[in-house]
Amino acid sequence: MNFIVSAYMDFVKTRLFLLLSILSIQFFGCEDKMDEDDFSDINQILEDEKEDNAENKFSYLALGDSYTIGQGVAIDKNWPRQLSTSLVADGVNLSVEIVARTGWTTGDLLGALNNNQNTSGKYDLVSLLIGVNNQYQGRSISEYEAEFEQLLKLAIALAGNDPDKVFVLSIPDYSVTPLAQSGNPDEISTELKEFNQLKKEIVQAYGVNYFNITDISQKASSDLTLLADDQLHPSAIMYEMWVGRIKSNIVSILIE
C-alpha cells in the first residue's frame, strides 16, 4: 500500500513539475507568448489529474445509532468522519453519508432503511454498528439476532451485493462508564458480551469484515478523557483510537 501511495505522489509531482515548466516559459524570461498547444498541454494535465482523483473517490454509508453519529462530540469528530479525514493521507477521498440516531435499536434502523428515503443508492463501503439500545432496553437477544441479520443483508445489498465492502464494529462496553455505575455494570457487561458474540457469528457466516473495538471502550474505566462530557458516550479521542485500529483494513478494502 505504501508503494501505491508513493507511486501516486511521484506521479502527481511529475505532473506539477511539467505544469510549472510550461508556465515558466511565459513568466520567466521567454518573450514568446504561449500558443494553443501550450494551453492544450496544461488542460490535458488538469484533466488527467481529475481522472486520477476520481479513481480514489469512494462513497461510504455508515449505519448505526448514537455511537455512529457521535453523540456528545463535534460533527466532524464522530468516527466515520474521522475515518474519512485520516484516509486523505493515503490518497483516498471518502464521501460520508450517515443513517443513525441516538436511541435506535435494530428495529428502528430497519424501519428507517425500509423507508427507502434515507440512502442514495449503492455504496463503495458500508459499515454497521448497532445493538447497544437493544441491550439497554431489555429487548431479547433472539429479536436482535433476527433483526441484525436483516440489517446485514441490507448492508450487503447497499454495497452492491459485495460482502467484502461491508464491515461491522462490535458494541462498545458502556458498563465501565460513570453513568452505568448506578445500575448493574456486571450484568450490562455480561449481556453485551452475549450480543457481541452473536453478532460476530452472524457477520462471519456472511463473510463480512468484523472489527472488535470493545476492548478500547473498556479503557474508559481508568481514563475519562475517552468519554464525552455526558460521561457515557465516547469522546473524539476514543473515536480516533477506533479509526486507528481499523484504518489499514479499510484501505485494503477500498484499494485492492
Side-chain angles (χ1 to χ4, degrees):
M1 181 51 59
N2 290 334
F3 172 77
I4 295 174
V5 173
S6 177
Y8 174 77
M9 294 304 296
D10 289 342
F11 176 75
V12 171
K13 289 177 182 177
T14 301
R15 293 301 182 113
L16 288 175
F17 176 77
L18 177 58
L19 175 58
L20 291 172
S21 297
I22 294 173
L23 290 174
S24 67
I25 294 174
Q26 174 68 11
F27 295 109
F28 295 100
C30 182
E31 295 180 358
D32 294 334
K33 293 183 178 180
M34 297 175 70
D35 58 26
E36 292 182 0
D37 289 338
D38 293 325
F39 282 109
S40 296
D41 289 339
I42 294 175
N43 288 333
Q44 186 59 53
I45 291 171
L46 296 176
E47 287 301 316
D48 288 345
E49 288 302 319
K50 288 180 181 179
E51 291 179 5
D52 292 334
N53 291 335
E55 288 180 1
N56 289 316
K57 186 173 183 178
F58 302 95
S59 58
Y60 167 41
L61 175 65
L63 304 173
D65 49 37
S66 58
Y67 290 133
T68 297
I69 61 171
Q71 180 74 29
V73 303
I75 190 171
D76 62 332
K77 295 301 181 181
N78 59 42
W79 71 264
R81 290 196 169 88
Q82 285 203 53
L83 174 62
S84 175
T85 301
S86 72
L87 290 176
V88 172
D90 295 274
V92 174
N93 182 349
L94 196 64
S95 177
V96 182
E97 185 175 334
I98 296 177
V99 177
R101 186 171 297 176
T102 297
W104 269 4
T105 64
T106 46
D108 295 320
L109 181 55
L110 267 175
L113 291 176
N114 288 331
N115 194 23
N116 293 324
Q117 296 179 358
N118 294 281
T119 58
S120 58
K122 298 295 186 292
Y123 300 84
D124 299 305
L125 186 69
V126 180
S127 67
L128 181 58
L129 169 52
I130 193 78
V132 68
N133 293 300
N134 290 69
Q135 181 277 329
Y136 179 75
Q137 295 178 19
R139 306 190 76 85
S140 72
I141 196 166
S142 59
E143 177 186 73
Y144 179 74
E145 178 179 17
E147 292 179 346
F148 179 79
E149 186 169 8
Q150 291 180 61
L151 284 170
L152 190 60
K153 290 178 179 178
L154 281 173
I156 294 171
L158 288 165
N161 293 314
D162 186 351
D164 290 335
K165 301 299 184 183
V166 179
F167 69 97
V168 172
L169 267 60
S170 63
I171 305 170
D173 184 358
Y174 72 93
S175 71
V176 302
T177 67
L179 217 61
Q181 302 314 302
S182 59
N184 190 333
D186 290 337
E187 182 179 356
I188 292 171
S189 181
T190 298
E191 290 178 352
L192 287 174
K193 285 180 182 177
E194 294 174 355
F195 275 77
N196 274 326
Q197 181 57 38
L198 177 61
K199 170 190 279 193
K200 184 177 181 180
E201 291 172 0
I202 296 172
V203 168
Q204 291 179 337
Y206 279 84
V208 167
N209 304 283
Y210 180 84
F211 303 126
N212 175 35
I213 50 82
T214 304
D215 60 317
I216 296 177
S217 69
Q218 291 168 337
K219 294 179 185 294
S221 63
S222 58
D223 185 357
L224 294 181
T225 67
L226 298 181
L227 296 177
D229 291 340
D230 64 9
Q231 298 291 282
L232 176 64
H233 291 92
S235 68
I237 298 173
M238 184 190 292
Y239 285 137
E240 184 179 2
M241 294 171 69
W242 293 8
V243 169
R245 173 166 293 182
I246 70 175
K247 177 184 172 182
S248 61
N249 299 94
I250 302 306
V251 173
S252 297
I253 290 172
L254 294 172
I255 306 177
E256 299 175 338

